[in-house]
């Protein structure tokens, strides 16, 4: 994995696997998945995918967990925020292409748990993946996220029940 290291370390009772925080990658990217050792042992964790394109470094990581009758693949994904000048759009499109490519190749027996900071506004287009709550006018990142979720039968669970917002600005709002 030259130039694209997966970092593995422990913090307390958590096994942490991280990808993308390298000197040459985007300093604002980097994904990490932490597994509680009370539920997972290291022998049950296999990193199975991460994008090799330089502009996608630190934008996605797939880790499959298998033990007993459980087979779950966790994906951490971080599309860049949409810029007014559109500079991040191509990276975001490429990331969703990678996520689609990797997800389509997962075995049917594994369940996918998508952990995403989508930098997306969703909800104005209600679908089987996006519910009625937390709705905002869908942006470009939101459209890509919704279409990806619809394609793979994923659900944004926090949009199907009236809950407080999931994002708070540094000022507490």
């Amino acid at each position: 994995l030259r130039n694209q290291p997966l970092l593995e370390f422990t913090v307390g009772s958590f096994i942490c696997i991280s990808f993308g925080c390298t000197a040459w990658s985007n300093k604002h990217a980097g994904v990490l998945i932490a597994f509680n050792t009370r539920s997972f042992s290291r022998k049950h964790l296999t990193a199975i995918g991460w994008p090799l394109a330089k502009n996608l470094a630190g934008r996605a990581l797939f880790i499959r967990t298998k033990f007993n009758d459980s087979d779950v693949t966790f994906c951490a994904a971080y599309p860049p925020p949409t810029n007014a000048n559109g500079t991040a759009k191509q990276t975001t499109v490429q990331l969703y292409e990678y996520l689609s490519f990797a997800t389509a190749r997962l075995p049917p027996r594994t369940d996918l748990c998508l952990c995403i900071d989508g930098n997306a506004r969703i909800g104005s287009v209600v679908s089987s993946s996006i519910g009625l709550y937390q709705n905002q006018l869908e942006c470009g990142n939101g459209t890509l996220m919704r279409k990806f979720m619809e394609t793979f039968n994923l659900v944004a669970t926090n949009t199907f029940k009236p809950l407080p917002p999931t994002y708070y600005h540094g000022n507490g709002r």
Side-chain angles (χ1 to χ4, degrees):
L1 303 178
R2 201 182 80 210
N3 296 330
Q4 302 242 354
L6 288 176
L7 303 175
E8 183 179 324
F9 54 94
T10 58
V11 176
S13 62
F14 291 89
I15 301 167
C16 302
I17 302 174
S18 175
F19 168 65
C21 298
T22 63
W24 58 267
S25 69
N26 182 337
K27 67 181 178 181
H28 300 292
V31 289
L32 179 139
I33 304 176
F35 296 92
N36 192 318
T37 56
R38 287 178 287 190
S39 301
F40 299 93
S41 71
R42 179 59 187 97
K43 67 183 179 183
H44 298 132
L45 306 176
T46 305
I48 60 171
W50 52 91
L52 297 177
K54 184 176 178 180
N55 67 320
L56 298 181
R59 298 280 176 198
L61 174 62
F62 285 81
I63 298 177
R64 189 169 176 196
T65 64
K66 289 174 41 176
F67 59 96
N68 298 332
D69 293 331
S70 175
D71 188 341
V72 179
T73 298
F74 293 87
C75 172
Y78 179 54
T82 303
N83 296 337
N85 62 8
T87 56
K89 184 176 183 182
Q90 186 57 35
T91 299
T92 303
V93 168
Q94 286 178 320
L95 178 61
Y96 277 104
E97 288 171 353
Y98 169 78
L99 292 173
S100 294
F101 173 85
T103 301
R105 282 151 185 77
L106 292 174
R109 66 185 167 275
T110 191
D111 293 318
L112 178 64
C113 179
L114 177 65
C115 308
I116 187 169
D117 177 348
N119 283 305
R121 289 183 300 281
I122 56 174
S124 61
V125 179
V126 177
S127 73
S128 59
S129 294
I130 309 295
L132 298 169
Y133 300 99
Q134 307 294 331
N135 63 337
Q136 298 179 17
L137 183 61
E138 188 172 272
C139 67
N141 278 15
T143 300
L144 290 167
M145 187 170 113
R146 176 181 48 80
K147 288 181 177 182
F148 171 76
M149 293 175 69
E150 289 170 348
T151 298
F152 294 101
N153 298 313
L154 301 173
V155 176
T157 56
N158 65 320
T159 65
F160 284 90
K161 186 169 174 78
L163 299 169
T166 59
Y167 170 79
Y168 291 93
H169 191 274
N171 64 9
R173 294 185 190 162

